[in-house]
Amino acid sequence: AQTVTQSQPEMSVQEAETVTLSCTYDTSENNYYLFWYKQPPSRQMILVIRQEAYKQQNATENRFSVNFQKAAKSFSLKISDSQLGDTAMYFCAGGGSQGNLIFGKGTKLSVKP
Amino acid sequence: DSGVTQTPKHLITATGQRVTLRCSPRSGDLSVYWYQQSLDQGLQFLIHYYNGEERAKGNILERFSAQQFPDLHSELNLSSLELGDSALYFCASSVGSQGSGQPQHFGDGTRLSIL
């Protein structure tokens, strides 16, 4: 069975600072993909970043980057220069051969001015 | 704007009733996924269609059914509704079928409230 675990229910960060959200996953599949989604108070689900588990290089999208540790099955999200608009729930998700995503329970991030 | 359209945005109905949720995928996307988001269960996968065919089922109740039509839009039918069915229902679409690793783009969801 595939599992995705987010151990931080809530986090806060000061505006302009850096924060890291943790995620671990477990799967027996080699062809696995990992994602971070953001859900702001508007409840939309917005794709933040995608990582292919067979690639060692960490994905980066502007202020968002991942630290992917394959051996540890760890997939953390780093947000640099945090902005007030980054306040949201962040979900880590994994997808394998079935195609559907398995989501973690989420981390509620608050960016404080 | 993700390009995925879900209607209606809100639905309020009573126990025992039946509702239909509709989803139009992004242009060019052949896969449609349905997810349920509730406070106690989190985000759970319900069902996946690819180009009109059912490809995978998750934690979907027998009271729920779905289909994908030739124009690729999809409908999720929920019947004999119970209070516990109150949730936010998301549709997501992607280009490929299972295992392709293509990112899924989500609609804004339909919020279903059962009174």
Side-chain angles (χ1 to χ4, degrees), chain B residues 2-59:
Chain B
S2 68
V4 179
T5 303
Q6 286 189 250
T7 57
K9 290 191 183 305
H10 303 278
L11 205 46
I12 302 173
T13 189
T15 55
Q17 296 298 306
R18 173 189 170 94
V19 296
T20 297
L21 282 51
R22 182 188 168 102
C23 170
S24 293
R26 290 192 322 162
S27 176
D29 285 359
L30 299 179
S31 271
V32 169
Y33 300 82
W34 287 97
Y35 294 89
Q36 178 194 59
Q37 185 177 30
S38 61
L39 283 174
D40 53 344
Q41 298 290 332
L43 268 157
Q44 290 206 315
F45 165 67
L46 296 177
I47 197 163
H48 169 212
Y49 278 84
Y50 175 76
N51 204 20
E53 292 186 4
E54 181 186 303
R55 286 299 180 95
K57 270 186 173 180
N59 298 319

Side-chain angles (χ1 to χ4, degrees), chain A residues 1-5 24-29 32 73:
Chain A
Q2 299 173 19
T3 59
V4 175
T5 303
T24 57
Y25 67 95
D26 193 16
T27 180
S28 57
E29 298 193 35
Y32 204 62
K73 292 186 176 177

Side-chain angles (χ1 to χ4, degrees), chain A residues 37-80:
Chain A
Y37 281 86
K38 167 186 176 181
Q39 188 176 40
S42 64
R43 306 294 281 177
Q44 294 172 303
M45 289 290 289
I46 302 165
L47 177 66
V48 175
I49 202 163
R50 169 180 177 265
Q51 173 81 40
E52 293 162 9
Y54 60 85
K55 285 189 177 178
Q56 282 298 322
Q57 187 174 3
N58 291 325
T60 299
E61 287 287 341
N62 301 314
R63 297 183 296 107
F64 299 87
S65 62
V66 300
N67 183 7
F68 175 52
Q69 302 288 330
K70 188 170 183 176
K73 292 186 176 177
S74 168
F75 180 60
S76 59
L77 176 69
K78 186 172 84 171
I79 306 174
S80 304

